[in-house]
Amino acid sequence: HPEDGIGKFRGGIIVFTHDGKIANIIWESKEIFSERVGRIEFKDIDNDSIDELVLKGGYGAPQNPDYYIYKWKKNQFYLINPNPESDNLSDRLMLGDGADLRDIDNDKIYEVVTVVEEDKYDPTLTKRYTYKFNGSYYYLWKEELNKEPLMYN
């Protein structure tokens, strides 16, 4: 968007097929992402043999969650994180000083884990937030103090 000025980045996700000559758009996100995103990948995070679209984002954009996760259903992706239907802010914004996808409870479904350093000089103030998938959306499952740092992916 030119009205945002020089050095500003905004955009969405477009998924397409390409036959070597023509690109065919399959799906385009409704969400607009500010600044830069880290990585986009397809990964089966809920053990249903269908890859989800996972966007690791938020670099330079504190209003963005660390992960946007889309599920494929009926020939389109729909957003499962952040939960657009939740009134609970912590369910919608998985913010943190770092984030990781990992299966911490060994149920073969990935949880999203974020860490917030309240004071980088006092590790007892570090909080870990764990979000669990309920079949439709991720929700805040656990909040813990003073946990070891994440292995960032």
Side-chain angles (χ1 to χ4, degrees), residues 95-109:
L95 298 174
D97 296 312
D100 202 3
L101 279 172
R102 49 168 84 165
D103 181 12
I104 62 171
D105 59 0
N106 296 314
D107 65 355
K108 298 186 179 175
I109 298 173

Side-chain angles (χ1 to χ4, degrees), residues 13 27 29-33 42-43 45 51-55 68-72 76-82:
I13 301 171
W27 174 82
S29 68
K30 296 179 213 168
E31 293 73 35
I32 295 174
F33 305 102
F42 291 95
K43 185 175 192 168
I45 63 172
D51 285 347
E52 284 69 44
L53 189 151
V54 179
L55 180 142
Y68 283 88
I69 302 171
Y70 295 87
K71 184 140 191 71
W72 182 256
Q76 69 176 6
F77 284 101
Y78 68 93
L79 189 64
I80 61 174
N81 174 69

